Amino acid sequence: MALEEIIATLRARGYRITLPRRQTLQILLRAHSHLTCEQVHQRLVAQGLDVDEATTYRTLQWLKENGIIAQTDLGLGADVYSLIDSPLHHHLVCLRCGRISEISDSLFEPIRRQVRERYHFEPRIEHWAIFGICAECQSNEKGKIEPGNHGESGE
Amino acid sequence: MALEEIIATLRARGYRITLPRRQTLQILLRAHSHLTCEQVHQRLVAQGLDVDEATTYRTLQWLKENGIIAQTDLGLGADVYSLIDSPLHHHLVCLRCGRISEISDSLFEPIRRQVRERYHFEPRIEHWAIFGICAECQSNEKGKIEPGNHGESGE
DNA sequence: CTACATGCAAATCCTTTGCATCCAC
DNA sequence: GTGGATGCAAAGGATTTGCATGTAG
């Protein structure tokens, strides 16, 4: 979906289109990846827009409520925000090394269908993180935190 | 898994078994559901154990690192902690009314398998929340936040 | 005994909020 | 003109941390 198209939709819903809102949206459209609020804010400032970070939080919240972007916890401390555009994608996050990789949305289709059919629940699975251990860390430190294994220290 | 069995495992890993640790574990074993750190702490105090909440956070962290419990964000503000015991279960959380319902782990088996096979990634899907709109809210306020629909206000 | 766990209190840090001002419509 | 959006600054609240003390092994 193009910028002006989204803008028009939001305007049609009765919202006011301000410069902070327009530019925030533009940044997310161009990003092609997820960004923290802080990162979005930094880019806004870099573009010469003297906007407050609280406003950026409010704008992101608003875009989320309007189904334009998704909010995700990737274990980075701060949540990330990303455009909901097709094709959807999700992430694998390694609990050991922190590496984040991308996975296809197709894996989630079965679970979406079953949740709809069996529970009559409409799932919003737009940008997810699956935590676990990546291939590399599996070979490096086999099942270090597996229950039943023998670890060594509290940290 | 029984209390003493878990204790023995942890002791074998070289950890010290203190009263706060033993009783925290006991509370989680008896709970048969998820609890926030605050709730765990309250129960510890109610049992007459004058433990600090910071210690409770540390204990929960430790149990998590040792694969005994899972930590989940159910959208309640604070994360919840629950024993990893079979059969696993997960939750549907309604974004409208907040209702939380339980779903079977079997829905997740396909995605676990595919993540393992296709990405050689070992997923830790122990206690998840799927956010979305429950059946009741769907009929009450059809697709209020669907992209493409016409909502009304910022709040 | 000695290192690890705890108590206490303060700090962190993401996120939200109150209120006066401003501006999109 | 008017109500919604923003700036500013401060609060909020879950979680973490530093350090002295206590205690499990």
Side-chain angles (χ1 to χ4, degrees):
Chain A
M1 191 141 66
L3 178 61
E4 292 308 328
E5 196 180 343
I6 298 173
I7 294 286
T9 303
L10 291 168
R11 201 195 304 269
R13 290 183 196 177
Y15 297 108
R16 297 186 181 174
I17 306 307
T18 62
L19 208 49
R21 288 181 165 183
R22 180 184 290 276
Q23 294 206 21
T24 298
L25 199 38
Q26 198 169 56
I27 283 166
L28 287 161
L29 275 160
R30 286 182 179 155
H32 293 302
S33 74
H34 45 258
L35 298 171
T36 62
C37 179
E38 187 189 10
Q39 290 173 321
V40 172
H41 178 244
Q42 283 171 349
R43 297 193 185 192
L44 287 168
V45 172
Q47 290 181 10
L49 184 61
D50 185 25
V51 68
D52 197 78
E53 192 164 352
T55 299
T56 309
Y57 270 106
R58 281 189 277 228
T59 303
L60 292 170
Q61 183 70 27
W62 169 74
L63 288 172
K64 181 189 166 195
E65 285 168 2
N66 279 277
I68 312 293
I69 65 175
Q71 178 179 5
T72 314
D73 174 15
L74 293 180
L76 300 174
D79 282 357
V80 296
Y81 301 84
S82 59
L83 211 66
I84 300 174
D85 58 349
S86 41
L88 292 178
H89 70 277
H90 310 277
H91 294 281
L92 301 177
V93 182
C94 182
L95 292 165
R96 282 266 151 267
C97 65
R99 164 171 295 183
I100 298 176
S101 56
E102 198 167 299
I103 62 174
S104 147
D105 181 64
S106 64
L107 302 193
F108 290 83
E109 217 25 79
I111 211 168
R112 272 199 202 91
R113 184 167 47 246
Q114 290 208 42
V115 165
R116 284 196 192 103
E117 287 174 5
R118 291 166 61 167
Y119 301 95
H120 307 292
F121 184 96
E122 179 58 35
R124 296 258 201 277
I125 306 180
E126 292 141 350
H127 191 236
W128 265 22
I130 295 180
F131 293 87
I133 311 294
C134 73
E136 201 172 316
C137 288
Q138 278 175 60
S139 27
N140 289 350
E141 14 183 354
K142 286 214 169 166
K144 198 173 183 180
I145 66 169
E146 289 290 358
N149 275 9
H150 294 252
E152 42 283 301
S153 96
E155 232 299 322
Chain B
M1 191 142 66
L3 178 61
E4 292 308 328
E5 196 179 343
I6 298 172
I7 294 286
T9 303
L10 291 168
R11 201 194 304 272
R13 291 183 195 175
Y15 297 108
R16 295 185 183 175
I17 307 307
T18 62
L19 209 48
R21 288 181 165 184
R22 180 184 289 275
Q23 295 205 24
T24 298
L25 199 39
Q26 198 168 59
I27 283 166
L28 287 162
L29 275 160
R30 286 181 179 156
H32 294 302
S33 73
H34 45 258
L35 299 171
T36 62
C37 179
E38 186 190 12
Q39 289 172 322
V40 172
H41 179 244
Q42 282 171 350
R43 297 193 185 192
L44 287 168
V45 171
Q47 291 182 9
L49 184 62
D50 185 25
V51 68
D52 196 79
E53 193 163 352
T55 299
T56 309
Y57 270 106
R58 282 189 276 229
T59 303
L60 292 170
Q61 182 72 28
W62 170 72
L63 289 171
K64 181 189 167 195
E65 285 167 2
N66 278 278
I68 312 293
I69 65 175
Q71 179 178 3
T72 314
D73 173 16
L74 293 180
L76 299 175
D79 282 357
V80 296
Y81 301 84
S82 59
L83 211 66
I84 299 174
D85 57 350
S86 42
L88 292 178
H89 70 277
H90 311 277
H91 294 281
L92 300 177
V93 182
C94 181
L95 293 166
R96 282 267 152 268
C97 65
R99 165 171 294 183
I100 298 176
S101 56
E102 197 166 299
I103 61 174
S104 147
D105 181 64
S106 64
L107 303 192
F108 291 83
E109 215 28 76
I111 211 168
R112 271 198 203 92
R113 185 167 47 246
Q114 290 209 41
V115 165
R116 285 195 192 103
E117 287 174 4
R118 291 166 59 168
Y119 301 95
H120 306 292
F121 184 96
E122 179 58 34
R124 296 259 200 276
I125 306 181
E126 292 141 350
H127 191 237
W128 264 22
I130 295 180
F131 293 87
I133 311 294
C134 72
E136 200 171 318
C137 288
Q138 278 176 61
S139 27
N140 288 351
E141 15 183 354
K142 286 213 170 167
K144 199 173 181 181
I145 66 170
E146 289 290 357
N149 275 10
H150 295 251
E152 42 282 302
S153 97
E155 233 299 322

